[in-house]
Amino acid sequence: MEISEILKQGIDKYVNRGKYNLIYMVGDNHVVKFKRFGGMEFKPFSEHEYQIASALYSLGISVPKPEGVYEIEHPITKKPASGFLMEYIPETRLIIGGNCESALWAREIKKVRQEEFYALDSSPENSIWCPPRNKVYLIDFEGWELPKGYKI
């Protein structure tokens, strides 16, 4: 489905929140991530996170498929705000223990380090476990930086 068609479906139910973010469903297979209070001033943060996610995705690192940054009506302010649109992952938060999920998380983080990303906040709390896919996805790239010399 084209992105324009996905966006026409509008924001649906609330999915989750982070310290500074809100996440809502868009259609059946996508979510949009907003800064809590919206506003155009947050566009650089959304675009930065999209760039990091796109770079990781292109390298085969497990992240939700990034779709782009779009102006969408913010669910709280009801004003246009930049939202980072990405694939919806049916999630379970990852809890590190000696289990399979922990090993999968460690494997993805190893790939990130091999590619020389600066991953300031790459803790297990910033990942999700999708049992049906037996896969861990890294999320929340606001504090990350691209490797030196990386071309977008």
Side-chain angles (χ1 to χ4, degrees), residues 92-109 113 122-129 136-138:
T92 301
R93 283 288 177 182
L94 180 59
I95 300 186
I96 292 296
N99 52 30
C100 172
E101 302 89 61
S102 298
L104 292 171
W105 174 82
R107 183 181 68 195
E108 295 305 314
I109 292 300
R113 290 183 181 138
S122 61
S123 66
E125 291 79 26
N126 284 331
S127 60
I128 51 179
W129 162 239
V136 168
Y137 293 82
L138 305 179

Side-chain angles (χ1 to χ4, degrees), residues 105-118:
W105 174 82
R107 183 181 68 195
E108 295 305 314
I109 292 300
K110 182 178 180 182
K111 291 182 205 174
V112 166
R113 290 183 181 138
Q114 287 172 338
E115 294 292 341
E116 299 182 352
F117 282 81
Y118 178 69

Side-chain angles (χ1 to χ4, degrees), residues 75-98:
I76 294 175
T77 67
K78 304 298 183 201
K79 295 180 181 177
S82 294
F84 171 30
L85 186 71
M86 68 191 100
E87 170 190 21
Y88 169 66
I89 306 295
E91 68 177 272
T92 301
R93 283 288 177 182
L94 180 59
I95 300 186
I96 292 296

Side-chain angles (χ1 to χ4, degrees), residues 10-120:
I11 290 178
D12 195 8
K13 68 178 182 168
Y14 167 82
V15 175
N16 206 335
R17 71 176 179 84
K19 194 173 191 178
Y20 306 108
N21 304 296
L22 297 171
I23 301 170
Y24 285 83
M25 287 297 297
V26 178
D28 294 329
N29 300 308
H30 292 83
V31 293
V32 63
K33 180 179 182 179
F34 291 106
K35 290 296 175 194
R36 270 210 190 156
F37 301 106
M40 294 303 293
E41 68 274 18
F42 293 110
K43 187 172 185 177
F45 296 102
S46 296
E47 289 176 343
H48 173 79
E49 190 165 12
Y50 169 69
Q51 288 178 344
I52 300 292
S54 294
L56 293 167
Y57 187 81
S58 72
L59 293 167
I61 295 170
S62 182
V63 301
K65 181 181 179 190
E67 299 288 0
V69 175
Y70 299 93
E71 299 308 309
I72 304 171
E73 182 180 290
H74 192 279
I76 294 175
T77 67
K78 304 298 183 201
K79 295 180 181 177
S82 294
F84 171 30
L85 186 71
M86 68 191 100
E87 170 190 21
Y88 169 66
I89 306 295
E91 68 177 272
T92 301
R93 283 288 177 182
L94 180 59
I95 300 186
I96 292 296
N99 52 30
C100 172
E101 302 89 61
S102 298
L104 292 171
W105 174 82
R107 183 181 68 195
E108 295 305 314
I109 292 300
K110 182 178 180 182
K111 291 182 205 174
V112 166
R113 290 183 181 138
Q114 287 172 338
E115 294 292 341
E116 299 182 352
F117 282 81
Y118 178 69
L120 180 63

